[in-house]
Amino acid sequence: MLITSPVLVGRDDELALLDAGLAGARLGEGRAVFLLGDAGIGKSRLASACAFRAFADGMAVLRGRGSTTGATMPFRPVAEALLSLFRIGGLPQDPELAPYRPALAELVPEWRGAAPSPAGISLVETAEAVLRLLASVGRAGGGSGGGEPGCLLVVEDLHDADAETLAVVEYLVDNLTGLPVFLLATLRSQSGPAGDLAREAGRRRSATLTELHPLGPDEVRLLAESCLSAEDGQLPRQVTDQLLKDSEGNPFVVEELLAGMVTANVLRGDAGGWRVCGDLAIDVPTTVVHSVAQRVARLGPADRELLYAAAVLGRRFALPVLQLVTGLDDRSLLVHLRAGIDAQLISPSGPVADSYEFRHALTTEALLAGLLPMERAAIAQRAADAIERAHPGLPGDWCQRVAVLRLAAGDAPTAGLLFAEAGRAALDGGAVNSAVALLERAHELMAGSTATEDAASVLERLVYTLIETGRLDRALALVETLPLTGPGALDDARSAALHTRLAWAAVTALRPEEAAARVAFVRGLLGRFDSAAHTPAIDVVEAHLLLVARPESGRAGADGEQRTEQAAALARRAALAAEAADLPEVACQAWQLLALLERRHGFDRADAHLERILALAGRHQLTTWQVDALLRLGANEFMRSGSSTQLERAHRAALDLGALALMHTAEATMAMQAVLRGAYGTARELTDRTAPATARLRNVDNHQFVLLTRAALAAHQGRRREMEQELAEFQRWDGEHSLQLPLALGTCRAICAVLEEDRTRALAELDSALAWERDHPTVFYLNGHYGLRPLLRAIEGLAEPAEHAAIAADPGAGLLWNRQFERLAHAVHEGRAGRPEQALRAVAEAREAAAPFLMARHLGLRLVAEAALADGWGEPVPWLRTAEEYFHGAAVPAVASACRDLLRRAGATVPQRRSGSDGVPAGLRRQGLTVREYEVFLLIASRLGNQEIAGRLYISPRTVEKHVASLLAKTGRANRGALCDYAVEVTAADRP
């Protein structure tokens, strides 16, 4: 007899918490809740109640549950949750999900298209795809756009979930803020990695944890009365006392005990209420195990055999598997299954028609407790044999299932080999965390095995997998345990391949000393076997190592160029050898590095290597490499012509492929190009969209570049405080060791200093960037060395024409961004030498090169006009008027003021900027601010002192002091600090 309560008892606080979560999701305030508690305490009932309330409110509801078979099934609860919604409502058609469909196709087969998925979809990319999908579903409401906004994701039995699911849940928990998604997960209190995840999320305040406690005496009474539909006071006190004693407040056990009392006829009900008709302490089962055993005992022998076999398979089981194990025909299987259902022991499970489960985890445990160890082992052995006969080679998840059964049967070595094979399959499928868990288990089971060659192979595969997951220290520790001689020792070729992979991992982890040690070890092996297929990979590693290694002491300047030449030679050798050995991916890797290094000899040579990657990747269907080459060609095209057309095409290709990392690389590059073009609104839109995603994905290189782009966006508008904030965040992301560091000096700080009319500071920053590039292999060419620095040095009289001629001959000087400044520098030298016609021709060439670059074009006019005015050539007045108009409208007061000062020195009329269109925001104009006061106000936002402001605006510190006093009076601020805060607030609100 099945006795359950129709209402939840004693969980009012928890229901209020869940209701708040649902309400938050409807308002776009995502949150997560973990329900912890022992088996039977009521976690699933609360989850079901929450799901019902969400569904009743028109919200989308997705539900999945961890596997209890003991096998590691990557993403099983997540995939089940997605399918629980999309089987009914169909796939969402939100176009914003397009780039994430390849990752989602690994979870939802219906999303798999004809186009190949990108290789190596990372776990974080999958988690981001799930996050975007949930957000889209939440915005639509009800899964199809017809319900209320908001989405509920329920993951039950998280303690039984695989490592990939745990990683996805952790990612979701940390990134739900601002999304219409409520995540509810249930797990047992002492539950290993899942419990650690939940408690750590609670400590970070990313989630709310609530532990379900046993019911108290009154609550047990209310629950019992509800189960029996009894009125208040109708249930004898001795019944509730016995229930409280035997159940310890566990609701599931209370219900099981009540069912046992009624079934044993010691508790009877009639019109007059309920009465005790026997000795409760003697006749009523005192444990769920006894209760389940009692019900099982009433069944026939064949029914019991089926239930025991199902319990060995786990709480949830599929009928086809159970049929294999029992050998029953279809009719007999269903007859015996119906007997288990009638005994209230099993029931259908989830949306899959042939999936069933035991009513509760305790039911499964009770059935297993009724088996002798030898009986359980025999069932497991029989099940494993049946599955292997039915599924030769154990494809899909059969390998894991049989591994669990072999282990239950006591065959640890065979189970270890099967876990290892399952780990290999998981790795091939991109489930690297599950692969690690499976291989770790295999390694543990085989550690004492006499099959040392098999054990060593498992350990070797485990090391490779640990490297894939970034667990380098664990991999390095394990590789030292491999036998050096005798059975199980790796041959030289396998050892070289393994240590090459370790060396590459050390390079990418910025551990050059460890990488160098591994490279030396591999070099010592290469002469002992035919290494033609191994040398290219170690050459690529060593070439990259030359880029990240620190310069040798006392060799500053020459060291960077020498290492660049060595790296290029190694990359070229590796590329040619890899092609000869039919190693297309290694070849692409080498050509990519060479294309980067060959920029110093001209971008035509760099593009030729990228075109070679395109051809090679096309022949071998390496779609990710094709898109990567297109992106790099697009970046080079912009530097040569100022056009972003090819980069935009490459971005669309990455979008179609679903290659998230490449898509973000394209968007970050497009944003930097927008900064250089002066399209600041576009740049801000791109970085605002890309920065959160690259941070969540922990894509360090991409995120560093996005942060530098945001810093450049501020710098190119003269906003130092904002720039320094972004650069500080860049440093927090290990910017000190990044090859992108010179961008912070030349593209950001130097430009900002020029816009502050602080050329001394700008030159110092440019000199620092040049010094860094001389000590390190150079991969960036727009940092001022070939353009802005020569111009500033020419204006300041610090450079001779011969020095400039040497720079102008370098291919880097021909890039448009550099050429606009380099030609102006040449004009300054020509004008100073008394050759005005040549100087004007150089200015015309500079203006042609500067056509794509709005801000830089006007900055160049302001700079060259100063030299032209001093040396008596050109058209400085029109140039200054054009520049002043632009910088005044762009709210860069220092440059606008400098232009007006130079116009005065030239004897030209100076615009007064006193009208309503003078650039002063309406709110400040109503407070009475003049144009000059507004210029001071803008510089105060950067928290500059009076002396610095005076230098920028060409006025005296005393005059600045008067303006500050006037600003305090007009704005009503109590002190300078409050005025600074107000200025920051106003200027932030006024940004495009």
Side-chain angles (χ1 to χ4, degrees):
M1 179 176 185
L2 180 62
I3 293 180
T4 59
S5 171
V7 296
L8 278 168
V9 175
R11 303 303 184 200
D12 292 345
D13 291 343
E14 289 81 0
L15 282 173
L17 175 65
L18 300 184
D19 284 340
L22 295 175
R26 289 192 292 270
L27 295 173
E29 300 170 359
R31 64 188 70 178
V33 169
F34 290 97
L35 293 180
L36 288 81
D38 296 332
I41 204 69
K43 303 183 298 294
S44 293
R45 299 188 198 200
L46 276 168
S48 295
C50 184
F52 177 79
R53 294 182 183 205
F55 183 79
D57 286 341
M59 296 173 62
V61 179
L62 303 89
R63 299 186 70 173
R65 174 178 284 164
S67 170
T68 57
T69 63
T72 304
M73 311 290 288
F75 301 111
R76 176 170 177 167
V78 177
E80 184 178 286
L82 299 182
L83 290 170
S84 72
L85 178 68
F86 301 140
R87 274 201 180 99
I88 299 172
L91 302 177
Q93 301 301 314
D94 187 348
E96 291 185 9
L97 292 176
Y100 303 98
R101 291 199 171 194
L104 292 170
E106 300 300 311
L107 306 176
V108 183
E110 287 85 345
W111 255 321
R112 293 173 187 164
S117 296
I121 294 175
S122 73
L123 176 58
V124 179
E125 287 177 324
T126 300
E128 174 73 7
V130 173
L131 180 71
R132 299 291 183 116
L133 175 62
L134 293 174
S136 174
V137 169
R139 287 192 296 269
S144 60
E148 291 295 320
C151 161
L152 169 65
L153 170 63
V154 179
V155 182
E156 294 189 64
D157 295 339
L158 191 64
H159 50 272
D160 287 325
D162 56 280
E164 277 70 29
T165 293
L166 293 181
V168 170
V169 168
E170 182 176 27
Y171 187 88
L172 295 177
V173 166
D174 286 337
N175 294 287
L176 290 178
T177 303
L179 298 180
V181 180
F182 178 36
L183 168 63
L184 173 61
T186 70
L187 63 157
R188 294 188 182 176
S189 298
Q190 305 299 325
S191 49
D196 295 340
L197 184 161
R199 291 184 176 86
E200 183 58 34
R203 281 191 289 270
R204 295 195 306 269
R205 300 195 176 184
S206 299
T208 300
L209 272 67
T210 184
E211 187 151 6
L212 301 185
H213 297 290
L215 301 180
D218 290 340
E219 293 165 335
V220 168
R221 177 181 57 79
L222 288 172
L223 177 61
E225 290 174 346
S226 174
C227 288
L228 300 175
S229 300
E231 297 293 335
D232 185 19
Q234 280 190 343
L235 198 62
R237 176 65 179 269
Q238 65 191 103
V239 174
T240 56
D241 289 345
Q242 190 71 38
L243 289 174
L244 184 62
K245 174 187 173 184
D246 291 339
S247 72
E248 298 181 344
N250 186 299
F252 175 76
V253 179
V254 168
E255 293 175 348
E256 287 291 308
L257 291 172
L258 276 173
M261 292 177 181
V262 174
T263 301
N265 208 27
V266 296
L267 180 63
R268 299 175 187 174
D270 53 32
W274 291 89
R275 63 184 185 278
V276 176
C277 302
D279 188 346
L280 297 175
I282 295 175
D283 297 328
V284 179
T286 57
T287 65
V288 174
V289 172
H290 291 163
S291 176
V292 171
Q294 189 179 61
R295 274 180 276 168
V296 171
R298 296 193 190 99
L299 301 175
D303 299 330
R304 292 198 297 270
E305 287 298 317
L306 179 136
L307 290 174
Y308 287 133
V312 170
L313 293 176
R315 181 185 174 190
R316 303 173 75 189
F317 55 90
L319 286 190
V321 180
L322 185 60
Q323 187 169 27
L324 283 174
V325 175
T326 59
L328 296 171
D329 58 47
D330 291 347
R331 183 179 179 281
S332 298
L333 178 72
L334 294 177
V335 167
H336 298 313
L337 184 70
R338 170 55 62 185
I341 294 173
D342 292 341
Q344 292 103 37
L345 294 169
I346 58 178
S347 60
S349 171
V352 182
D354 61 1
S355 180
Y356 286 78
E357 65 180 17
F358 288 97
R359 183 184 166 214
H360 198 279
L362 292 175
T363 308
T364 316
E365 294 169 12
L367 276 165
L368 292 176
L371 290 172
L372 294 173
M374 291 183 63
E375 291 176 316
R376 184 176 180 180
I379 294 173
Q381 178 74 35
R382 189 168 69 249
D385 291 344
I387 292 173
E388 286 188 343
R389 286 194 301 270
H391 300 281
L394 299 178
D397 61 5
W398 291 115
C399 190
Q400 295 180 55
R401 297 187 187 197
V402 174
V404 173
L405 292 169
R406 293 294 181 197
L407 186 59
D411 189 355
T414 301
L417 288 174
L418 288 169
F419 277 125
E421 180 59 25
R424 182 199 60 76
L427 185 62
D428 291 344
V432 289
N433 286 337
S434 285
V436 168
L438 290 162
L439 290 168
E440 289 275 19
R441 196 168 185 187
H443 174 56
E444 178 184 348
L445 291 171
M446 302 182 69
S449 172
T450 56
T452 53
E453 291 187 7
D454 287 337
S457 295
V458 169
L459 180 55
E460 178 188 18
R461 189 174 296 167
L462 175 58
V463 171
Y464 276 114
T465 310
L466 288 166
I467 295 170
E468 289 293 322
T469 59
R471 302 174 211 186
L472 181 57
D473 288 330
R474 170 74 171 147
L476 290 170
L478 279 178
V479 81
E480 299 302 326
T481 67
L482 281 166
L484 299 178
T485 58
L490 302 184
D491 61 31
D492 290 337
R494 286 169 66 187
S495 185
L498 182 60
H499 285 271
T500 298
R501 187 65 187 87
L502 285 167
W504 176 251
V507 166
T508 57
L510 297 177
R511 294 169 63 172
E513 294 80 8
E514 180 65 48
R518 298 290 160 182
V519 168
F521 177 80
V522 174
R523 293 288 185 202
L525 295 176
L526 294 182
R528 292 157 47 175
F529 66 99
D530 183 1
S531 59
H534 293 76
T535 302
I538 199 64
D539 281 349
V540 173
V541 172
E542 191 167 2
H544 278 275
L545 181 59
L546 287 166
L547 296 184
V548 300
R550 297 179 180 87
E552 295 182 18
S553 177
R555 297 184 60 189
D559 187 72
E561 180 60 30
Q562 182 179 355
R563 285 189 290 123
T564 302
E565 292 291 344
Q566 292 172 345
L570 277 171
R572 181 175 286 103
R573 184 175 80 181
L576 296 173
E579 287 195 12
D582 196 25
L583 301 170
E585 293 196 68
V586 176
C588 288
Q589 193 178 22
W591 288 123
Q592 180 197 78
L593 176 60
L594 193 59
L596 194 65
L597 297 175
E598 287 289 77
R599 284 177 166 186
R600 71 196 192 282
H601 297 307
F603 279 64
D604 287 340
R605 288 175 61 167
D607 282 357
H609 297 317
L610 294 174
E611 294 287 354
R612 192 157 184 168
I613 292 175
L614 275 180
L616 188 63
R619 286 198 303 271
H620 294 275
Q621 296 184 329
L622 303 175
T623 53
T624 301
W625 277 106
Q626 286 179 298
V627 176
D628 182 87
L630 289 172
L631 289 176
R632 293 171 187 272
L633 285 166
N636 289 356
E637 179 192 50
F638 175 82
M639 287 191 279
R640 290 192 296 188
S641 68
S643 170
S644 298
T645 302
Q646 185 158 325
L647 181 62
E648 290 168 358
R649 285 200 298 265
H651 174 251
R652 287 194 296 272
L655 194 71
D656 294 340
L657 184 62
L660 300 186
L662 292 175
M663 183 184 76
H664 294 143
T665 298
E667 290 174 349
T669 307
M670 290 163 63
M672 181 62 84
Q673 293 179 2
V675 170
L676 299 181
R677 291 199 311 270
Y680 302 132
T682 299
R684 184 171 297 280
E685 179 185 351
L686 283 167
T687 56
D688 285 350
R689 184 172 71 211
T690 307
T694 53
R696 287 197 301 266
L697 292 169
R698 301 298 300 177
N699 189 323
V700 176
D701 284 344
N702 270 346
H703 193 61
Q704 285 178 337
F705 190 71
V706 172
L707 292 172
L708 286 172
T709 301
R710 291 165 73 102
L713 174 61
H716 285 230
Q717 297 174 88
R719 296 170 176 167
R720 175 167 294 277
R721 185 168 178 269
E722 183 181 338
M723 175 194 73
E724 293 295 353
Q725 288 174 340
E726 298 293 350
L727 291 178
E729 182 68 5
F730 167 74
Q731 290 290 351
R732 195 177 71 81
W733 281 72
D734 200 27
E736 193 64 36
H737 299 99
S738 172
L739 290 177
Q740 303 179 58
L741 183 61
L743 291 175
L745 302 171
T747 305
C748 298
R749 288 197 172 110
I751 293 288
C752 190
V754 174
L755 294 179
E756 294 167 336
E757 289 293 324
D758 190 346
R759 291 209 287 265
T760 300
R761 185 173 190 172
L763 279 168
E765 300 287 5
L766 290 165
D767 288 345
S768 296
L770 179 58
W772 191 96
E773 290 176 346
R774 283 174 173 165
D775 291 343
H776 301 79
T778 300
V779 294
F780 296 104
Y781 291 85
L782 306 185
N783 287 316
H785 174 47
Y786 301 104
L788 185 59
R789 183 174 180 272
L791 174 57
L792 296 183
R793 286 175 58 80
I795 293 171
E796 297 294 323
L798 300 175
E800 296 296 327
E803 174 189 319
H804 175 75
I807 291 174
D810 192 284
L815 302 175
L816 282 192
W817 176 264
N818 293 330
R819 182 170 172 78
Q820 63 178 331
F821 297 122
E822 181 276 320
R823 286 291 82 194
L824 292 178
H826 180 64
V828 171
H829 287 299
E830 291 295 302
R832 194 167 292 158
R835 295 188 285 272
E837 291 184 4
Q838 291 88 331
L840 277 172
R841 187 159 52 246
V843 170
E845 292 168 348
R847 297 185 73 171
E848 181 181 358
F853 312 116
L854 180 62
M855 185 280 291
R857 181 166 75 245
H858 291 92
L859 180 62
L861 291 177
R862 176 265 173 271
L863 292 171
V864 78
E866 180 176 340
L869 187 62
D871 296 327
W873 62 273
E875 302 172 333
V877 170
W879 296 341
L880 287 169
R881 291 194 190 282
T882 300
E884 191 277 339
E885 181 74 23
Y886 171 80
F887 286 108
H888 174 77
V892 184
V895 180
S897 181
C899 290
R900 289 194 289 271
D901 184 71
L902 289 169
L903 284 169
R904 293 187 189 96
R905 277 199 265 164
T909 58
V910 178
Q912 294 300 304
R913 303 296 183 189
R914 303 295 183 189
S915 68
S917 60
D918 56 13
V920 180
L924 295 177
R925 204 161 52 241
R926 285 194 294 271
Q927 295 179 61
L929 268 67
T930 66
V931 173
R932 179 62 82 182
E933 286 170 349
Y934 179 56
E935 292 173 346
V936 173
F937 185 77
L938 290 174
L939 294 175
I940 282 176
S942 299
R943 302 193 185 276
L944 301 180
N946 288 355
Q947 193 74 35
E948 292 175 292
I949 294 174
R952 304 281 176 86
L953 298 181
Y954 296 93
I955 56 179
S956 71
R958 177 62 180 162
T959 301
V960 175
E961 186 178 336
K962 291 179 179 179
H963 286 313
V964 172
S966 178
L967 286 168
L968 289 169
K970 290 180 178 180
T971 61
R973 264 48 189 181
N975 52 50
R976 189 185 182 104
L979 181 63
C980 287
D981 292 339
Y982 179 53
V984 170
E985 177 186 341
V986 170
T987 54
D990 194 43
R991 290 172 191 156

